[in-house]
Every structure is written in structure tokens, then in C-alpha cells.
């Protein structure tokens, strides 16, 4: 039996801990915060916990299989329909449903048959990317250029299918003419904090994952999923140590020997880092290393309390020119002058209904990382004014909010970025840290900043891949 320390109790860390403990190893998770979950955090108001992080779960079978490792049943999911509604400045509104056929019909009714056919064709294209990319770039070990070259023509044919040399923007515009659908599809770049003008068209598979395979909620909120994973880990004997900050990874003779925390040393045969890779490289290793040049975008997020009214689970209010948002964030390094506003209604997305006449709304606008200034008061005023003008709220009380600077302070090394390094450029997937450290034996990475990338299902797969590498090394 080997001993492992996992740094961080986010989704990647809990996943790695469950996989390792299920094989009979001793696992201790060391978490700096007072609750597990990482960026899937919560804020409590009137005795009710509200999510302050991710709001849509895709690929739920990954969670189901993880819980099954500990003999636990799946969590209760919410299938919300309508799922998303997108509002545009010209007065148009497009509704996406849980079933893709219903979405195509809704688009045909709103934008016409030609637009619906274009969307249908694009989703077929996105599905082919997913089918080709997922085995190597999502579920498998971290991809390497050398392995692609060694794979010969068969592997190179697969690479062509994933369209890595086109950008998301060019691939969308070559297949879809309607400007409303273009905006919706461009928005999937933000799901890993990237710029669709530079991100590879491979990321268009995100449209298939959410529209084609479906998005889900968790009854009670995403934090119920975290609770279930904590319960699963502890049932396997995992010890979770909260309010304990790791200060350094202890090494000897080229291998990890444990960690030093603000409460003392924790010895181990292997260490899994469920922290931002940049934080590990610059602050936790005995010898600092370089970090990725470009970070993914950040965001201003808030919880509002407002009077109930008819709405769908997820709503997006687009600006006049959506592409200008990426110019503002990635070129001008400023909060968008005319931001897109995302609204999640937990009353519908998670069946959380704390007040008889009021409801909570989770809102978000994209923003650059923490090194660039953000006028939080101005952003708050702009968001509330936009929602009032769109008749989404009559008035609103801000219960909680977080800036990129707050995010950077809470998660060291991120710089306020939500997803680690941005996936801008065709080689981005090859630059992401693999799950096994190349220089230090016994060190593994399980987070959204490591392979296979950001987002809840990918973070859980990152934990699985880190555990798989550790088990292979044993």
C-alpha cells in the first residue's frame, strides 16, 4: 500500500483521491479552504447554499462512474427545458432545448429553415470533431507531437478530422451565415476561456457536447455533487484535511517525499497537485519553472436577489457586436465596454427556491485576468442596468460578488484566470502540462490547468489520468 497526498480538494483532487483509494492506497487530501470543491464554491444566504462557480454539468456519466468507484449511486440531475435562451439587440430571441431535434425546430421557427439546416450541419461537423478528438485529447494520456508522427498516416488522418489548423471563428463563419447563430457558437470559446479568433476549430466540439449531448443541473446545486464526491472519498478511507495550506512539495533524490504545510509535514510516496500548474511551478517546487505565457480569461461574477418572474434556466444577453468582447478582453485587456451578460436561475437549474416571492440569480460577465484593472462598482451598475433594460429583473440586490482579483487571491498562481492557460493556437493542447511530471518522480497533476483542460468533466478526467499514471508507476 502506497501513501499519497493530494494538494487541493477540487474536482480533480477528489477524483484522483477516489481512484487511488479504490485501489487500496492511503490518501490524504490537503485543502487550504474551509470547504471542498475548489472553484465550485458556495455562498450561504438565509441558510441556503448557492453555487458561485460552474452552473452546467455536461458528460454526467463521468461523474456517475466516479461515484460508482466507491459504490455510490449517481446524484439527482435536473434536465431543464428550455435550456438556454439567447437575446439579441435587434429583438431576436433564440431558444435551445435539451433535445437537439427540438433545438433545430425552434431555430427553424425563429430564423428560418436555412438557418436551422446550417446549425444541423454544424453540429454534425462538431460531433465528428468530438468523436475523433475525445479518445486522444480528452480520455487518453496527454497528446504528444512525437506520438502523432509515430502514428503515421492513420493518426494524421484523425488529426485532420479535428480541424486544428482552422480557428473557431473561421470554421463557424464558413459553415454558418446567420449572425445570431454565429454569436451563439462563438461563445463556446469562453467555456475554456479562449479567444475564438485564435483558438483552434477543434474546440467547436464544445457545441456538440452541450447542444448535442445535453447540459444538466444537479438537484440542490453543483455543490451537492461535491458533497457526494467527498462522501465517496471518505467511504474509501480518504482523509480530507481542510484549512491547511501546502507551502512546498518535499523532494529527495529526484522524487517526491510528501508536502510541508502550515501545520507540519505530511509524508507520502506520491503527490497529486490539484492546484493551478503555475502555482506548483513557481511556488511549491524547490526549483521554480516557467509558466504559460497567456492565461485564459477571467470574469466578474455575482449572486443577485430579485423578484421572481418567468425565465428559463440559463439566459444570455448579447451586445451589439459580440466579437468586440474578445477584442476588449484579449487585445485591450479591459472589461468589455458592452459586455455579454450570462444569467443562471438556480430555481430552475438546480431546484433551489429559498424565498416565496424572490429568487437568486447567478450572473457573469467576461473580463481579463487580475493584472488588469477592473472597476467592480461600474461593472455591477452596468450589469444590473442591462438586466433591468432587458426586463430580466425589476430591481436587484447584490448578495455576493467576485472580481478577477478576488479569484487570484483565492487560487494562487491563477492570476485570476478561470481555466489555466488559454487554448489559443493549434499547439495549445500539446503545451498543457501532462498528468505526470516530466522531471520529478512521484509528482502528478490533476486540475483544469493540466491535461485534458478546464471544465468540470475534464477536471474529473484529469484526476483519473493522474491516478492512472501514479498506479502505473507503482
Amino acid at each position: 500500500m502506497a501513501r499519497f497526498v493530494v494538494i487541493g480538494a477540487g474536482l480533480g483532487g477528489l477524483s484522483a483521491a477516489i481512484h487511488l483509494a479504490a485501489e487500496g492506497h492511503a490518501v490524504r487530501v490537503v485543502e487550504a479552504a474551509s470547504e471542498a470543491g475548489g472553484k465550485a464554491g458556495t455562498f450561504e444566504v438565509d441558510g441556503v447554499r448557492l453555487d458561485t462557480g460552474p452552473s452546467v454539468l455536461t458528460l454526467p456519466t463521468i461523474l456517475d462512474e466516479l461515484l460508482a468507484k466507491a459504490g455510490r449511486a449517481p446524484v439527482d440531475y435536473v434536465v431543464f427545458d428550455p435550456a438556454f435562451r439567447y437575446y439579441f439587440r435587434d429583438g431576436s430571441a433564440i431558444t435551445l432545448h435539451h433535445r437537439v431535434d427540438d433545438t433545430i425546430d425552434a431555430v427553424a421557427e425563429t430564423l428560418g429553415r436555412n438557418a436551422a439546416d446550417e446549425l444541423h450541419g454544424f453540429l454534425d461537423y462538431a460531433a465528428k470533431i468530438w468523436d475523433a478528438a475525445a479518445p486522444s485529447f480528452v480520455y487518453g494520456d496527454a497528446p504528444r507531437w512525437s506520438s502523432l508522427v509515430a502514428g503515421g498516416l492513420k493518426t494524421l488522418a484523425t488529426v485532420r478530422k479535428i480541424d486544428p489548423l482552422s480557428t473557431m471563428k473561421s470554421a463557424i463563419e464558413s459553415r454558418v451565415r446567420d449572425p445570431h447563430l454565429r454569436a451563439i457558437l462563438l461563445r463556446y470559446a469562453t467555456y475554456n476561456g479562449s479567444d475564438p479568433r485564435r483558438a483552434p476549430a477543434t474546440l467547436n466540439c464544445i457545441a456538440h457536447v452541450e447542444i448535442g449531448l445535453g447540459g444538466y443541473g444537479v438537484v440542490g446545486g453543483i455543490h451537492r455533487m461535491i458533497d457526494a464526491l467527498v462522501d465517496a472519498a471518505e467511504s474509501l478511507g480518504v482523509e480530507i484535511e481542510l484549512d491547511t495550506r501546502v507551502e512546498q512539495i518535499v523532494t529527495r533524490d529526484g522524487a517526491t517525499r510528501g508536502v510541508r504545510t502550515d501545520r507540519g509535514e505530511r509524508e507520502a510516496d506520491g503527490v497529486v497537485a490539484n492546484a493551478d500548474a503555475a502555482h506548483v511551478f513557481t511556488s511549491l517546487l524547490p526549483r521554480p519553472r516557467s509558466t504559460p505565457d497567456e492565461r485564459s480569461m477571467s470574469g466578474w461574477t455575482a449572486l443577485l436577489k430579485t423578484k421572481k418572474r418567468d425565465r428559463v434556466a440559463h439566459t444570455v444577453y448579447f451586445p451589439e457586436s459580440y466579437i468586440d468582447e474578445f477584442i476588449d478582453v484579449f487585445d485591450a485587456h479591459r472589461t468589455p465596454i458592452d459586455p455579454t451578460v450570462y444569467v443562471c436561475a438556480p430555481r430552475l437549474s438546480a431546484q433551489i427556491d429559498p424565498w416565496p416571492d424572490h429568487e437568486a440569480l447567478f450572473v457573469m460577465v467576461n473580463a481579463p485576468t487580475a493584472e488588469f484593472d477592473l472597476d467592480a462598482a461600474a461593472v455591477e451598475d452596468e450589469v444590473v442596468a442591462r438586466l433591468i433594460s432587458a426586463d430580466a429583473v425589476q430591481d436587484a440586490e447584490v448578495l455576493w460578488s467576485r472580481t478577477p482579483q478576488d479569484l487570484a487571491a483565492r487560487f494562487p498562481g491563477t492570476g485570476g484566470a478561470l481555466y489555466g492557460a488559454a487554448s489559443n493556437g493549434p499547439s495549445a493542447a500539446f503545451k498543457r502540462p501532462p498528468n505526470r511530471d516530466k522531471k520529478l518522480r512521484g509528482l502528478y497533476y490533476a486540475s483544469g490547468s493540466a491535461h485534458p483542460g478546464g471544465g468540470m468533466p475534464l477536471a474529473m478526467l484529469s484526476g483519473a489520468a493522474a491516478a492512472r499514471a501514479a498506479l502505473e508507476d507503482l
Side-chain angles (χ1 to χ4, degrees), residues 436-460:
R436 177 191 285 109
D437 192 84
K438 296 179 179 179
K439 299 179 180 180
L440 191 60
R441 295 193 310 276
L443 177 58
Y444 310 92
Y445 298 95
S447 73
S449 63
H451 173 73
M456 290 192 289
L458 298 193
M460 287 184 279

Side-chain angles (χ1 to χ4, degrees), residues 369-407:
T369 49
E371 61 187 299
F372 304 103
D373 293 335
L374 179 143
D375 187 339
V379 173
E380 179 180 314
D381 291 343
E382 169 70 15
V383 169
V384 173
R386 282 282 303 281
L387 294 179
I388 291 174
S389 67
D391 199 30
V393 301
Q394 183 177 352
D395 53 33
E397 174 190 355
V398 177
L399 301 173
W400 166 93
S401 65
R402 181 171 64 196
T403 66
Q405 290 73 23
D406 297 330
L407 193 71

Side-chain angles (χ1 to χ4, degrees), residues 154-170:
K154 182 178 180 181
T155 303
L156 292 176
T158 300
V159 171
R160 283 195 293 271
K161 290 180 182 178
I162 68 176
D163 203 8
L165 300 182
S166 303
T167 66
M168 288 186 74
K169 182 175 182 290
S170 66

